[in-house]
Amino acid sequence: MTASIIDGKAFAAGLRARVAEHAAAFEQAAGRKAGLAVVLVGEDPASKVYVASKGKATIECGMNSFEHRLPEDASQEALLALVDQLNADPAVDGILVQLPLPKHLDEQAVVARISPDKDVDGLTPISTGRLALGLPGLVPCTPLGSLMLLKDRLGDLSGKDAVVIGRSILVGKPMAQLLLAENCTVTIAHSRTRDLPDVVRRADIVVAAVGRPEMIKGDWIKPGATVIDVGINRLAPAEGQAKGRLVGDVDYAEALQVAGAVTPVPGGVGPMTIAVLLRNALVAAHRNAGVALAEGAL
Ligand code: NDP
């Protein structure tokens, strides 16, 4: 058997097109564009690339992008003051502080300062609490994107056994909450889990968010299971190559032989993250401006 490949790139392109359509309608209804502000502190090269591509994607779908840069040695007070300013700015619907922050800054305190109504990364304590309580709110982009791919593939997830490997605040925990809200029977596995292959073998749905290249082997996977590989790991370069290959947390070649469907890396969950960020910004814009958005439109 060969698994079908879940094309996250195509799904993300469709979502971005829907965001662009609704962004135009929002502008008509609200008399202004939706706006997403991104804050970058310091000079981390990977963060600069992410911020640039987020800004470009925001403009491409018809929203305003506000980029704020602070120097590497910016103080906690200066960063909090910027967050306060963005919280108060009616042109800004979403605020994203690019993580990780330089070591001398208190990341948790900065994230907690973001208004929950503008928390497009879904990482504030209020957003986390809303997700746990089943209240409407903003949900972290990568897990929400993973859920969209699962629902697109499987429809109703009710009653399915789901195993999430990883319990980070960014991916594992919110992923488990989302699957629970879809009435899955959810197991969260982590570095202390015993007999991980056996735990994974029970699952109709496997979400791998570990950060270990190709750790999940084909014989851990129940035949026909749906596998979402969140991991992005760069291998050491082969001889003569400048850059190593990107692989996920799942042994993709092996998974293809056993699973029902699997996300590739790259081209699976990765492209969903920015698409969902844009979606979250536009959902926030509708709520902030009191403009209706049909349930499930995005
Ligand atoms: P973290 O490092 O924060 O969390 C990793 C989790 O995996 C932890 O809960 C850890 O357990 C668990 N873990 C580590 N080793 C093992 C093991 N041997 N067996 C079982 N569990 C283990 O990572 P993130 O959640 O932030 O990211 C996970 C992966 O997803 C990374 O590859 C990252 O690059 C990728 N990622 C991709 C995104 C995308 O856009 N596609 C976005 C965000 C992340 P414990 O808690 O016990 O330490």
Side-chain angles (χ1 to χ4, degrees), residues 142 165-172 189-193 196 208-212 215 229-233 249 269-274:
T142 304
I165 317 166
R167 55 175 164 179
S168 70
I169 305 293
L170 190 61
V171 189
H190 47 77
S191 66
R192 309 291 176 89
T193 297
L196 184 60
V210 187
R212 293 185 179 253
M215 185 183 88
D229 190 353
V230 179
I232 303 179
N233 310 286
D249 292 340
V269 175
M272 291 300 292
T273 299
I274 287 190

Side-chain angles (χ1 to χ4, degrees), residues 31-47:
R32 65 167 179 91
K33 284 190 181 193
L36 174 61
V38 181
V39 178
L40 174 62
V41 185
E43 301 290 328
D44 179 72
S47 293

Side-chain angles (χ1 to χ4, degrees), residues 3-157:
S4 54
I5 294 168
I6 299 174
D7 188 346
K9 205 172 161 189
F11 191 94
L15 176 56
R16 280 164 76 150
R18 290 198 297 284
V19 170
E21 245 172 65
H22 287 282
F26 175 84
E27 191 177 348
Q28 287 284 318
R32 65 167 179 91
K33 284 190 181 193
L36 174 61
V38 181
V39 178
L40 174 62
V41 185
E43 301 290 328
D44 179 72
S47 293
K48 277 182 167 174
V49 172
Y50 293 141
V51 165
S53 58
K54 284 167 187 171
K56 184 166 167 268
T58 305
I59 291 162
E60 273 169 11
C61 72
M63 299 195 273
N64 280 329
S65 168
F66 308 103
E67 206 177 300
H68 294 266
R69 289 180 176 231
L70 292 180
E72 182 80 31
D73 61 355
S75 68
Q76 179 83 4
E77 292 67 36
L79 182 51
L80 291 177
L82 176 56
V83 171
D84 288 345
Q85 178 199 317
L86 297 172
N87 281 340
D89 186 343
V92 171
D93 295 295
I95 303 169
L96 184 153
V97 177
Q98 184 66 42
L99 304 179
L101 291 173
K103 293 274 176 289
H104 67 282
L105 296 170
D106 179 350
E107 211 163 87
Q108 276 196 13
V110 172
V111 169
R113 191 75 156 237
I114 297 171
S115 160
D117 298 332
K118 300 189 178 188
D119 177 22
V120 283
D121 256 348
L123 295 175
T124 61
I126 301 277
S127 298
T128 306
R130 283 179 179 162
L131 177 60
L133 291 168
L135 297 172
L138 294 162
V139 176
C141 303
T142 304
L144 183 54
S146 300
L147 184 75
M148 286 177 179
L149 294 179
L150 279 169
K151 288 176 76 169
D152 182 56
R153 174 69 38 163
L154 297 172
D156 183 13
L157 306 184

